[in-house]
Amino acid sequence: MKVLLLKDPKEDDCGQDPYIRELGLCGLEATLIPVLSFEFLSLPSVSEKLSHPEGYGGLIFTSPRAVEAVELCLKKDNKTEVWKKSLREKWNAKSVYVVGSATASLVSKIGLDTEGEQCGNAEKLAEYICSREPSALPLLFPCGTLKGETLPKMLKDKGIPMESITVYQKIPHPGIQGNLQSYFSKLGAPASIAFFSPSGLTYSLEHILELSGDSISQIKFAAIGPTTARALAAQGLPVSCTAESPTPQALAASIRGALQPHIPCGVGHSATLAP
């Protein structure tokens, strides 16, 4: 059975996208089609703030792109050496909160120790932060233009200071329409389509509805988390499954459960990557 994943390819240490591998182990043939591109913003301002860890109680990262923005700042402003010599250690003396294993992995690569990665979404991370001993200094929160308000509101309600800075914005991937047309013309409608963000849904839904035609009612729609699931429901689409956590294993299990609920994951099929 075919599954369409609307996300960028990300190779792991094994040289394969982990979502493709996990779905393959469940006997599902997965294809990746990127639906988002990103533009980084306010990098000089981010760089300045990173240079003054003494002014903050810690960091919050809820997306891999925010970490990439920080990494880009360090490279662009030739701060790599000073980061390794002093800044990294100073930030590591503070709390660095993250959502999910993918974000945690990237944060670890720039030398920071993380906590909270077991939290599957921003709401759970906010609960975790609120359970910790609060700092009088604000937490620095690099984020995207479409950040949710759940985490900021929960921290504000608990009197925990936070300073957010917008470091990236999402834009439609330039090849989305052509790649979707190519997929549907060659393979037809998939058994399931997985969405990884409300933005990805916004930029792809019109094309999917047009290409699916009467088959739309047969497709199982999957969401990587509750925020994306709510966006699907707001568009009037039935949400067949939502991953328990934003991980390849959890998404694969939820999709397999929606498609073939009585068959456990095992060694499975091949997978492909759209151009």
Side-chain angles (χ1 to χ4, degrees):
M1 301 179 82
K2 296 179 177 61
V3 176
L4 179 57
L5 305 175
L6 299 178
K7 68 177 288 291
D8 286 342
K10 295 285 186 183
E11 291 186 0
D12 60 12
D13 294 338
C14 300
Q16 186 181 30
D17 185 279
Y19 285 90
I20 279 191
R21 184 178 59 253
E22 290 298 326
L23 284 161
L25 291 173
C26 290
L28 300 170
E29 184 181 346
T31 300
L32 294 171
I33 292 182
V35 293
L36 296 174
S37 290
F38 297 85
E39 291 178 342
F40 292 109
L41 311 168
S42 310
L43 295 186
S45 180
V46 179
S47 182
E48 176 65 20
K49 293 177 188 299
L50 289 172
S51 299
H52 295 284
E54 69 278 1
Y56 297 95
L59 285 160
I60 301 175
F61 292 105
T62 59
S63 73
R65 299 297 175 182
V67 188
E68 290 173 12
V70 166
E71 191 172 18
L72 191 59
C73 285
L74 298 177
K75 290 177 180 177
K76 271 196 163 189
D77 290 352
N78 297 316
K79 278 195 168 66
T80 305
E81 284 306 311
V82 69
W83 175 262
K84 290 179 180 178
K85 287 180 179 179
S86 62
L87 287 178
R88 179 175 62 187
E89 184 178 350
K90 290 177 181 177
W91 280 111
N92 266 333
K94 305 169 185 292
S95 296
V96 181
Y97 300 108
V98 300
V99 168
S101 57
T103 303
S105 176
L106 288 176
V107 174
S108 296
K109 286 180 180 178
I110 60 173
L112 295 178
D113 302 324
T114 65
E115 55 181 297
E117 69 176 88
Q118 74 279 2
C119 303
N121 55 58
E123 182 176 352
K124 290 180 180 177
L125 181 65
E127 291 173 355
Y128 177 83
I129 294 173
C130 291
S131 73
R132 311 289 287 172
E133 187 69 30
S135 167
L137 296 171
L139 296 168
L140 182 59
F141 179 29
C143 56
T145 51
L146 299 178
K147 74 176 188 305
E149 293 304 319
T150 301
L151 186 145
K153 184 179 185 305
M154 289 178 69
L155 295 189
K156 183 179 180 181
D157 289 347
K158 290 290 185 179
I160 297 174
M162 186 197 74
E163 180 182 326
S164 62
I165 179 168
T166 302
V167 296
Y168 70 92
Q169 64 180 357
K170 298 176 181 179
I171 58 175
H173 190 282
I176 178 174
Q177 184 173 5
N179 287 337
L180 284 171
Q181 286 175 340
S182 176
Y183 177 90
F184 276 84
S185 65
K186 292 176 181 176
L187 300 176
S192 176
I193 298 178
F195 294 91
F196 288 75
S197 70
S199 302
L201 170 66
T202 299
Y203 297 142
S204 62
L205 182 58
E206 180 182 353
H207 304 304
I208 288 170
L209 292 175
E210 180 181 347
L211 292 165
S212 299
D214 294 338
S215 302
I216 193 73
S217 61
Q218 305 301 316
I219 298 173
K220 303 288 187 183
F221 292 105
I224 192 63
T227 303
T228 304
R230 287 192 290 269
L232 276 164
Q235 293 288 348
L237 296 173
V239 183
S240 298
C241 59
T242 303
E244 289 187 2
S245 62
T247 64
Q249 295 83 0
L251 182 67
S254 67
I255 292 175
R256 184 55 181 262
L259 293 175
Q260 296 178 332
H262 304 300
I263 303 176
C265 290
V267 177
H269 296 180
S270 61
T272 56
L273 171 63

